[in-house]
Amino acid sequence: MDYNSNRKKLALPEYGRNIQNMVDYLLTIEDREKRNKSAKNVIDVMGNLYPYLRDVPEFKHKLWDHLAIMADFKLDIDYPYDPPSPDILTEKPDTVPYNQHHIKYRHYGRTMELIIEEAKNFEGEQREIIIEQIANHMKKSYLAWNKDAVEDEKILSDLDEMSNGELVPAKDLQLSDAKSLIGKKKKSKKKK
């Protein structure tokens, strides 16, 4: 038996063994003109595997780069684009810069802090509506972390602290109940 685990490792497994065999065959063609024509045919076949990507900008360029990678950068043809260098496969990606913000209430998240800061700019009825929406969302976030019931007073005091006392809800503000915020669980259908 000839198992795939015993065969040569595929450089780009998403194209499959047959495309890799075609690329390996390209390396054996001695006539440069025939090799160029065959390479274009292989690119067409590779493009047919992902027809929904044909409208993506630089799709052909990507295919030619993949051909070079699959040929281990040894294919001597007339590339329509500059072929990539072998160094691109060993380059380490740039480090991702993470925010170093201190979040006092992590269960509400950094985005909630930004929303509260932005809400301070509103006035009148809009401000009251935004405060109510923020408080309900804070309650929902709190319930996601703490499955026990949460008191509305706790949410309102957290909102007061996070806004430095600038967002004061109406005295008659009633937050949504926990069931409506979390939603009902869908019953799974049992197989008979």
Side-chain angles (χ1 to χ4, degrees):
M1 280 279 195
D2 187 22
Y3 295 105
N4 282 339
S5 58
N6 295 336
R7 294 180 178 176
K8 174 182 149 188
K9 189 175 189 300
L10 297 176
L12 295 172
E14 57 267 27
Y15 290 107
R17 179 90 39 206
N18 288 329
I19 299 292
Q20 182 65 53
N21 289 341
M22 289 181 203
V23 173
D24 292 343
Y25 175 72
L26 287 176
L27 293 169
T28 64
I29 299 174
E30 293 187 17
D31 181 24
R32 184 176 181 84
E33 190 172 317
K34 183 178 178 187
R35 191 169 51 239
N36 282 328
K37 187 176 180 183
S38 298
K40 288 177 184 174
N41 291 334
V42 170
I43 290 294
D44 290 340
V45 173
M46 289 167 65
N48 287 338
L49 291 175
Y50 302 102
Y52 53 89
L53 292 176
R54 287 180 187 243
D55 297 332
V56 175
E58 298 192 19
F59 177 60
K60 285 284 189 186
H61 189 187
K62 188 175 193 178
L63 289 176
W64 284 99
D65 288 352
H66 288 176
L67 178 66
I69 292 169
M70 291 171 70
D72 199 25
F73 305 98
K74 296 175 183 171
L75 189 59
D76 183 27
I77 57 172
D78 299 325
Y79 287 97
Y81 307 99
D82 290 332
S85 68
D87 298 337
I88 65 161
L89 297 179
T90 57
E91 282 180 357
K92 289 188 177 182
D94 295 335
T95 56
V96 178
Y98 291 104
N99 289 333
Q100 299 299 323
H101 301 287
H102 172 70
I103 302 172
K104 185 169 183 176
Y105 297 105
R106 290 180 179 231
H107 50 278
Y108 298 131
R110 171 81 175 134
T111 305
M112 184 55 63
E113 290 177 352
L114 297 173
I115 291 171
I116 289 172
E117 286 303 313
E118 190 63 32
K120 293 177 184 178
N121 299 330
F122 290 89
E123 297 294 329
E125 187 179 341
Q126 274 188 328
R127 186 177 180 124
E128 291 301 317
I129 292 170
I130 289 172
I131 290 172
E132 181 180 354
Q133 294 296 318
I134 288 172
N136 278 319
H137 189 75
M138 288 173 66
K139 185 172 183 178
K140 184 177 179 180
S141 297
Y142 192 95
L143 288 168
W145 282 82
N146 183 3
K147 298 295 182 197
D148 297 332
V150 59
E151 299 295 325
D152 291 352
E153 292 78 26
K154 169 69 175 151
I155 299 298
L156 296 176
S157 92
D158 288 351
L159 175 61
D160 183 53
E161 187 176 338
M162 290 174 72
S163 68
N164 296 324
E166 293 183 45
L167 295 182
V168 179
K171 297 287 182 193
D172 60 339
L173 176 65
Q174 290 293 318
L175 298 180
S176 301
D177 63 329
K179 289 181 183 176
S180 67
L181 288 173
I182 295 176
K184 297 178 182 175
K185 292 184 178 179
K186 295 180 181 178
K187 292 183 180 180
S188 60
K189 295 180 182 179
K190 294 183 180 179
K191 293 181 181 179
K192 293 181 181 179

